[in-house]
């Protein structure tokens, strides 16, 4: 049993409470902020063990914070928050063996900056302040997914503090059940203090083209994307967005990426330039800056709710319906800073990994979609209203699922990409959505949950119920 006195005397990091100078509950989404009794900033894995044992002894709700991007409080608590960003954000690159150790509070921007110095990179996303570990444990799409698979498939080992405070090393040979479970099972099994990741050779820059069109161009854009997709090279990614700039009318935007030089990039995407964008900004971007490409979507402090979807085909009539409904959301509801983003990664490699190879079960070539409802006027924020709006948009998006696939989403896709499915991730009344996300892996996860966390100390993201 660890008392508050024990914690304060033995914790090497910072123990903060409301009113303390170090106390910080800020989150990427203002909607996710909760007034915690204790925010703990650990300096080592022993601190984390002490913090977990303290929370359990005092029967306090516990949350883990690595990047603070969960929009509905997955990293927040009114009890205890273990926040690794302040001290446990280190990186150690082993360039010779193409491996990197990454601590639990490290963000994507810092990792990219360090690894590209060696001409290497990992599979990560395009939002700079997202926590690396949380991003990977929930799947881990990124610009190099076509070449190297999902981020979750590039994890070599992990150090985990489990519910009884034990510090456990896990890889394919040692505690292999836990290693299997965290790769897709997220924070369900403990605090992942550190991961070892595969590194891959990486050129120092990539081609990026930003383009924008008015609504009237939607038919041509959809037609051209559908022509491009069947032969999409593994080093090309296109993101198509419905977005409203801070000053201006709603537009259709595109971010086109090619891991190549400028000449190859311009040749690859001239098909979209030929559609006559009203804005076009082609350029070479240093590799470490690519992860800032999504940062501009959020230009001010907002309350956000994120939701995910999957589709396997773009169909014009459904996108037109989506545009009309999205316009209604951004012009007549508090969620005026909302956007929809279709992410066209090359997904063959990730789909070739067996569903039961890791806990991550969404192993298809389908297109992940992010639906983000944002409200800059915090006084007007209505979480239930925004959630309903985002789910309505999700339903329209998923109506595009091709009849060639039976017209029905796979069970594992019902919630969308798990890292985007915030409104489903926090649902605790039943495990309906948890079962859907993990599919046939769920019962195995329940057995592992019973072994490592039988009392559900870790319950903030698609909470797995222990085997009965």
């Amino acid at each position: 049993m660890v008392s508050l006195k024990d914690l304060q005397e033995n914790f090497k990091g910072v123990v903060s409470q409301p009113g303390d100078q170090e106390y910080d509950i800020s989150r990427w989404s203002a909607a996710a902020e909760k007034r915690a009794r204790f925010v703990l900033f650990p300096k080592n894995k022993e601190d984390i063990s002490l913090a977990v044992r303290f929370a359990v002894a005092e029967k306090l709700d516990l949350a883990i914070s690595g990047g603070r991007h969960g929009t509905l409080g997955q990293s927040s608590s009114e009890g205890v928050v273990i926040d690794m960003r302040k001290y446990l954000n280190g990186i150690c690159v082993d360039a010779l063996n193409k491996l990197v150790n990454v601590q639990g509070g490290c963000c994507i921007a810092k990792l990219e900056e360090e690894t590209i110095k060696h001409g290497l990179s990992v599979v990560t996303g395009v939002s700079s302040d997202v926590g690396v570990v949380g991003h990977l444990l929930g799947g881990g799409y990124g610009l190099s997914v076509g070449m190297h698979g999902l981020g979750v498939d590039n994890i070599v080992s992990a150090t985990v503090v489990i519910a009884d405070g034990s510090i456990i090393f896990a890889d394919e040979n040692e505690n292999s059940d836990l290693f299997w479970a965290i790769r897709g099972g997220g924070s369900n099994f403990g605090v992942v203090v550190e991961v070892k990741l595969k590194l891959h050779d990486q050129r120092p820059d990539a081609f990026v083209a930003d383009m924008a069109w008015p609504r009237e161009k939607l038919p041509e854009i959809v037609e051209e994307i559908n022509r491009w997709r069947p032969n999409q090279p593994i080093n090309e990614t296109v993101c198509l967005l419905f977005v409203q700039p801070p000053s201006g009318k709603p537009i259709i935007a595109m971010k086109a990426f090619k891991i190549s030089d400028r000449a190859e990039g311009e040749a690859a995407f001239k098909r979209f330039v030929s559609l006559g964008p009203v804005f076009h900004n082609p350029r070479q971007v240093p590799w470490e800056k690519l992860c800032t490409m999504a940062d501009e979507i959020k230009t001010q402090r907002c309350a956000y709710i994120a939701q995910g979807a999957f589709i396997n085909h773009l169909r014009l009539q459904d996108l037109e319906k989506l545009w009309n409904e999205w316009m209604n959301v951004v012009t007549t509801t508090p969620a005026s800073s909302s956007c929809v983003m279709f992410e066209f990664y090359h997904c063959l490699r990730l789909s070739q990994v067996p569903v039961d190879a890791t806990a991550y079960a969404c192993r298809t070539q389908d297109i992940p979609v992010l639906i983000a409802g944002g409200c800059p006027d915090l006084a007007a924020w209505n979480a239930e209203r925004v959630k309903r709006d985002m789910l309505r948009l999700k339903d329209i998006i998923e109506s595009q699922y091709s009849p060639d696939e039976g017209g029905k989403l796979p069970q594992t896709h019902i919630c969308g990409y798990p890292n985007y499915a915030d409104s489903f991730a926090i649902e605790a009344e039943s495990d309906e959505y948890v079962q859907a996300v993990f599919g046939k892996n769920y019962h195995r996860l329940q057995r592992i949950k019973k072994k490592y966390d039988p009392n559900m100390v870790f319950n903030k993201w698609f909470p797995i119920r222990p085997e009965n």
Side-chain angles (χ1 to χ4, degrees):
M1 300 286 284
V2 175
S3 66
L4 178 57
K5 182 173 182 292
D6 295 329
L7 182 73
Q8 291 171 328
E9 290 179 351
N10 296 291
F11 200 78
K12 304 302 181 188
V14 174
V15 177
S16 71
Q17 296 178 259
D20 292 344
Q21 182 177 354
E22 300 91 346
Y23 185 80
D24 182 7
I25 57 170
S26 62
R27 295 294 183 267
W28 183 79
S29 166
E33 294 172 2
K34 296 181 181 179
R35 187 174 172 83
R37 285 182 60 183
F38 301 93
V39 179
L40 309 179
F41 300 96
K43 284 192 171 180
N44 52 43
K45 56 184 180 291
E46 289 78 19
D47 272 359
I48 293 179
S49 173
L50 197 64
V52 171
R53 288 183 287 135
F54 167 70
V56 171
E58 296 295 319
K59 296 182 171 58
L60 294 172
D61 184 60
L62 177 63
I64 308 161
S65 179
R68 302 185 180 185
H69 260 250
T71 61
L72 287 175
Q74 298 94 312
S75 64
S76 303
S77 173
E78 294 178 352
V80 175
V81 174
I82 298 174
D83 193 329
M84 294 184 281
R85 296 192 313 162
K86 190 178 185 70
Y87 299 117
L88 291 178
N89 56 23
I91 300 162
C92 182
V93 177
D94 177 359
L96 181 63
N97 294 302
K98 295 185 179 179
L99 296 168
V100 59
N101 285 357
V102 183
Q103 291 184 315
C106 179
C107 66
I108 287 175
K110 183 175 182 179
L111 178 60
E112 294 283 43
E113 288 169 4
E114 290 301 314
T115 55
I116 198 60
K117 292 176 183 177
H118 305 272
L120 301 167
S121 74
V122 298
V123 181
T124 57
V126 289
S127 186
S128 65
D129 58 350
V130 166
V132 173
V133 172
H135 168 71
L136 298 181
L137 297 184
Y141 282 94
L143 297 179
S144 57
V145 69
M147 295 176 285
H148 310 305
L150 285 171
V152 74
D153 298 325
N154 284 268
I155 301 174
V156 176
S157 66
T159 301
V160 187
V161 177
I162 61 173
D164 67 1
S166 299
I167 301 169
I168 291 181
F169 176 82
D171 65 7
E172 290 284 6
N173 300 310
E174 188 175 347
N175 298 304
S176 58
D177 56 347
L178 180 62
F179 184 59
W180 177 87
I182 62 171
R183 289 179 295 155
S187 59
N188 265 290
F189 302 92
V191 184
V192 179
V193 184
E194 184 174 272
V195 293
K196 186 187 295 289
L197 307 174
K198 297 176 186 176
L199 287 169
H200 305 280
D201 292 331
Q202 181 57 57
R203 61 175 291 122
D205 58 7
F207 176 79
V208 181
D210 290 329
M211 290 171 262
W213 298 267
R215 153 68 181 86
E216 293 72 29
K217 285 288 187 176
L218 185 59
E220 296 172 64
I221 297 167
V222 171
E223 183 178 4
E224 197 57 48
I225 289 176
N226 283 335
R227 284 180 182 151
W228 165 76
R229 282 195 66 221
N231 299 304
Q232 176 183 356
I234 62 173
N235 62 341
E236 291 181 14
T237 300
V238 166
C239 295
L240 181 71
L241 300 94
F242 292 174
V243 65
Q244 182 171 11
S247 57
K249 59 189 295 187
I251 57 170
I252 301 169
M254 177 181 288
K255 283 187 174 295
F257 304 88
K258 188 175 180 73
I259 304 174
S260 71
D261 61 25
R262 179 162 184 155
E264 289 181 41
E266 289 185 335
F269 297 126
K270 65 181 181 181
R271 61 195 310 154
F272 298 117
V273 177
S274 71
L275 302 180
V278 295
F279 174 80
H280 178 215
N281 181 22
R283 62 210 185 276
Q284 285 298 112
V285 176
W287 183 261
E288 67 274 17
K289 298 298 182 184
L290 286 172
C291 67
T292 68
M293 293 293 100
D295 294 356
E296 60 201 56
I297 293 175
K298 183 186 178 185
T299 57
Q300 57 187 317
R301 177 169 165 77
C302 283
Y304 272 99
I305 288 179
Q307 185 53 64
F310 277 112
I311 60 171
N312 65 351
H313 187 71
L314 279 186
R315 195 162 55 202
L316 177 60
Q317 65 191 55
D318 294 305
L319 279 185
E320 290 175 331
K321 182 179 178 182
L322 175 66
W323 174 273
N324 293 336
E325 189 58 44
W326 173 73
M327 282 289 293
N328 179 59
V329 168
V330 298
T331 57
T332 67
T333 78
S336 59
S337 293
S338 300
C339 73
V340 179
M341 179 165 64
F342 297 84
E343 301 177 344
F344 298 93
Y345 299 104
H346 191 289
C347 294
L348 177 62
R349 183 159 185 154
L350 76 87
S351 70
Q352 293 173 330
V353 177
V355 170
D356 60 358
T358 68
Y360 185 81
C362 301
R363 297 287 183 178
T364 71
Q365 296 188 61
D366 292 346
I367 305 156
V369 185
L370 171 65
I371 312 151
C375 177
D377 183 358
L378 302 186
W381 175 252
N382 182 328
E384 289 305 314
R385 169 72 184 274
V386 176
K387 188 187 297 184
R388 288 196 302 271
D389 288 340
M390 297 305 102
L391 291 175
R392 191 164 66 252
L393 295 177
K394 171 182 167 66
D395 287 342
I396 296 171
I397 291 167
E398 291 176 343
S399 68
Q400 297 179 79
Y401 211 81
S402 172
D404 294 340
E405 304 292 335
K408 184 178 180 181
L409 280 169
Q411 181 194 22
T412 53
H413 288 25
I414 290 172
C415 300
Y417 172 44
N419 277 342
Y420 292 164
D422 288 357
S423 58
F424 295 112
I426 63 168
E427 175 61 53
E429 292 184 5
S430 76
D431 62 354
E432 173 189 357
Y433 298 123
V434 186
Q435 289 193 49
V437 161
F438 297 117
K440 70 177 187 179
N441 292 333
Y442 185 57
H443 294 304
R444 183 178 175 185
L445 285 164
Q446 286 185 294
R447 292 193 297 272
I448 299 169
K449 182 75 168 178
K450 182 178 181 180
K451 178 178 177 181
Y452 291 101
D453 183 22
N455 296 315
M456 294 187 70
V457 172
F458 303 104
N459 56 30
K460 294 295 183 183
W461 184 83
F462 289 107
I464 296 165
R465 299 187 179 189
E467 183 181 57
N468 189 341

